[in-house]
């Protein structure tokens, strides 16, 4: 059944031609149609335009006077499948411990891995589904989800099976990423190479055989996995046809960006610490730089220098990094606000980064990320707002009125 939305105050991110992503100065442009209509049919965007050319007002239609429509947020980096929470570490940090000190005491990722081990697959699914539904309600219409709190064969398979069940149950596009190399578990302390062998030689073939992952990831960071380790992971992924999306430059710049580009990573994520040579290496590549400002906010670490990336003519995507340790927030509206307030991105740049560029970082630009004929009808309807800049400006306010997934009210 077709659905017609009329009197839309502003239809935002309208692209006649489907594009892969936007870079540099082009990110400043956010095409819109004021006083618009949107026609949805069979779960897809069928047509749109100014109200003056609205085709058939005699059929039933949804009047959106005062409200705007934006394509759904495309969150290309999350860890929403996890067990329990880590608010006691949050309090430890308030009392002066650093993220690194907490990790050294067996907290951090290993703490979540311990909780996950004690959680059944069904319970893990239930906890994760609640988070997923919440972020969909907050406007996310496509999401990538990583494993990485299992750190054993059974644990990683448990996480990836939960992601598979989420894919089956929810109709937004979900991409699964295998992040076995997230931390070295206690029983492999001092035996990192053996751990990586288990992950790449024993586990990865099973994951691929059971079609449990779309991408492969590694936490390339001092104290976690080196650039050589990251290359080993990416090579293993390539061998099995999995492209990489990797964690780099969160605390230290150790060459992960260059390694990612050299291995044709789909994205390099975090980038809070970025050297000029890292920026240089991204030029001319197909690798999307992804910033995670909610993580910077929560850990009080630097924000990804978006202006330097954009001034160098590069693209940037924004994602939530929703996880229990460094970003217990999957609200992309906050992410977009934080990018404007803390990274000096304009609302146009931030909205482009959280829609079309986020879609690219999940290989979804052909079906998500803009209001384009033939793309999925995944979009959000705002409350009555004065302008789209009001969305990041009025940070923390709940400004979404309805969310549609494949043209159906969620
Ligand atoms: O992206 N940096 C590594 N992984 C996550 C944090 C994991 C955790 O603390 O649980 C991140 O920030
Ligand atoms: Fe992450």
């Amino acid at each position: 059944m077709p659905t017609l939305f009329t009197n839309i105050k502003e239809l935002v991110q309208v692209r006649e031609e489907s594009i892969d992503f936007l870079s540099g100065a082009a990110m400043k442009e956010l095409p819109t149609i004021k006083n618009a209509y949107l026609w949805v049919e069979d779960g897809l965007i069928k047509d749109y335009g100014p109200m003056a050319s609205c085709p058939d007002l005699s059929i039933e239609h949804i009047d959106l006077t005062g409200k705007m429509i934006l394509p759904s947020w495309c969150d290309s980096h999350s860890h929403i499948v996890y067990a329990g929470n880590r608010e006691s570490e949050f309090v430890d940090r308030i009392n002066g411990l650093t993220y690194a000190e907490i990790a050294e005491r067996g907290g951090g990722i290993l703490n979540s891995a311990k909780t996950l081990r004690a959680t059944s697959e069904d319970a893990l699914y239930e906890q994760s589904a609640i988070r997923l539904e919440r972020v969909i309600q907050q406007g996310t219409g496509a999401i990538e989800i990583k494993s990485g709190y299992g750190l054993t064969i059974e644990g990683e398979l448990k996480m990836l099976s939960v992601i598979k069940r989420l894919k089956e149950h929810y109709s937004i596009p979900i991409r699964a990423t295998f992040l076995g190399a997230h931390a070295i578990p206690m029983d492999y302390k001092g035996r990192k190479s053996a751990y990586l062998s288990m992950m790449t030689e024993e586990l990865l073939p099973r994951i691929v055989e059971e079609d449990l992952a779309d991408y492969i990831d590694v936490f390339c960071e001092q104290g976690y996995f080196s650039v050589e380790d990251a290359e080993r992971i990416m090579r293993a992924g390539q061998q099995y046809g999995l492209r990489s999306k990797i964690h780099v430059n969160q605390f230290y710049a150790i060459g992960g960006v260059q390694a990612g580009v050299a291995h044709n990573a789909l994205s390099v994520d975090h980038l809070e610490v970025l050297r000029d040579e890292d920026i240089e290496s991204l030029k001319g590549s197909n690798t999307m730089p992804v910033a995670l400002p909610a993580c910077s906010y929560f850990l009080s670490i630097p924000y990804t220098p978006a202006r330097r990336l954009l001034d160098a003519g590069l693209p940037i995507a924004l994602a939530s990094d929703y996880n229990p340790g460094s970003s217990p927030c999957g609200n992309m509206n906050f992410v977009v606000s934080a990018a404007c307030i803390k990274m000096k991105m304009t609302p146009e740049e931030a909205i482009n980064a959280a829609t079309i560029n986020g879609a690219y970082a999940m290989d979804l630009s052909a079906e998500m990320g803009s209001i384009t004929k033939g793309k999925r009808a995944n979009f959000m309807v705002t409350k009555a707002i004065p302008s789209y800049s009001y969305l990041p400006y009025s940070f923390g306010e709940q400004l979404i009125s309805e969310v549609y997934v494949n043209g159906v009210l969620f």
Side-chain angles (χ1 to χ4, degrees), residues 28-332:
K28 286 193 198 312
E29 307 288 325
L30 184 66
T32 71
I33 301 176
K34 289 192 170 139
N35 193 21
Y37 73 89
L38 177 67
W39 185 291
V40 165
E41 206 169 323
D42 299 328
L44 302 176
I45 294 166
K46 178 100 176 154
D47 200 7
Y48 56 77
M51 275 311 287
S53 55
C54 189
D56 184 6
L57 281 171
S58 66
I59 71 160
E60 209 184 311
H61 52 103
I62 300 171
D63 188 323
L64 295 185
T65 300
K67 300 174 166 191
M68 298 195 181
I69 286 185
L70 283 84
S72 300
W73 305 126
C74 294
D75 185 356
S76 65
H77 181 139
S78 92
H79 310 247
I80 69 164
V81 171
Y82 60 82
N85 288 291
R86 304 219 302 266
E87 68 272 26
S88 66
E89 294 180 2
F90 168 63
V91 177
D92 289 342
R93 280 197 303 104
I94 293 170
N95 288 320
L97 286 182
T98 65
Y99 183 80
E101 285 164 343
I102 291 166
E104 274 153 29
R105 297 192 317 185
I109 296 165
L110 297 186
N111 183 0
S112 286
K114 199 168 136 199
T115 313
L116 188 125
R117 223 165 294 147
T119 305
S120 71
E121 188 186 306
D122 285 345
L124 186 62
Y125 176 84
E126 293 307 326
Q127 292 183 31
S128 308
I130 290 170
R131 290 182 201 113
L132 181 61
E133 288 194 20
R134 194 189 308 132
V135 299
I136 295 173
Q137 228 105 44
Q138 291 166 340
T140 295
I143 193 165
E144 179 256 19
I145 310 173
K146 300 173 191 297
S147 70
Y149 293 117
L151 309 181
T152 59
I153 290 185
E154 309 73 55
E156 288 296 306
L157 287 173
K158 193 198 286 184
M159 290 190 75
L160 291 165
S161 303
V162 166
I163 301 173
K164 188 178 182 181
R165 283 168 64 182
L166 293 172
K167 279 187 185 192
E168 286 161 0
H169 195 267
Y170 293 91
S171 53
I172 69 164
I174 296 175
R175 298 294 204 221
T177 300
F178 170 46
L179 175 55
H182 197 192
I184 301 147
M186 282 299 183
D187 43 345
Y188 277 86
K189 208 166 175 205
R191 297 190 299 131
K192 187 175 63 175
S193 186
Y195 179 67
L196 287 177
S197 298
M198 174 177 76
M199 287 290 132
T200 55
E201 289 158 32
E202 257 185 86
L203 181 52
L204 183 57
R206 279 185 65 180
I207 289 171
V208 172
E209 198 178 292
E210 293 173 38
D211 197 19
L212 291 173
D214 303 296
Y215 304 108
I216 193 161
D217 193 351
V218 51
F219 187 17
C220 181
E221 184 59 55
Q222 251 179 51
Y224 292 83
F225 295 94
S226 67
V227 171
E228 293 69 39
D229 299 330
E231 287 179 323
R232 185 169 162 189
I233 289 287
M234 289 190 282
R235 271 199 306 272
Q238 276 163 340
Q239 206 185 321
Y240 287 97
L242 297 187
R243 223 173 147 189
S244 47
K245 286 169 65 65
I246 62 175
H247 284 73
V248 292
N249 293 42
Q250 182 176 3
F251 301 105
Y252 297 96
I254 58 173
V257 176
Q258 285 77 357
V261 170
H263 288 82
N264 193 32
L266 179 58
S267 68
V268 284
D269 303 27
H270 273 288
L271 311 174
E272 289 88 341
V273 182
L274 208 52
R275 303 169 300 184
D276 287 343
E277 62 255 50
D278 302 325
I279 291 181
E280 273 312 303
S281 69
L282 284 160
K283 289 183 181 168
S285 75
N286 295 315
T287 302
M288 177 64 68
V290 179
L292 311 166
C295 170
S296 298
Y297 177 81
F298 189 70
L299 292 185
S300 300
I301 61 173
Y303 287 82
T304 303
R307 292 262 55 99
R308 282 171 58 210
L309 286 160
L310 291 167
D311 291 347
L314 290 167
I316 180 164
L318 289 166
S320 72
D321 197 17
Y322 194 177
N323 78 75
S326 69
S327 179
C329 165
N331 189 337
M332 286 293 287

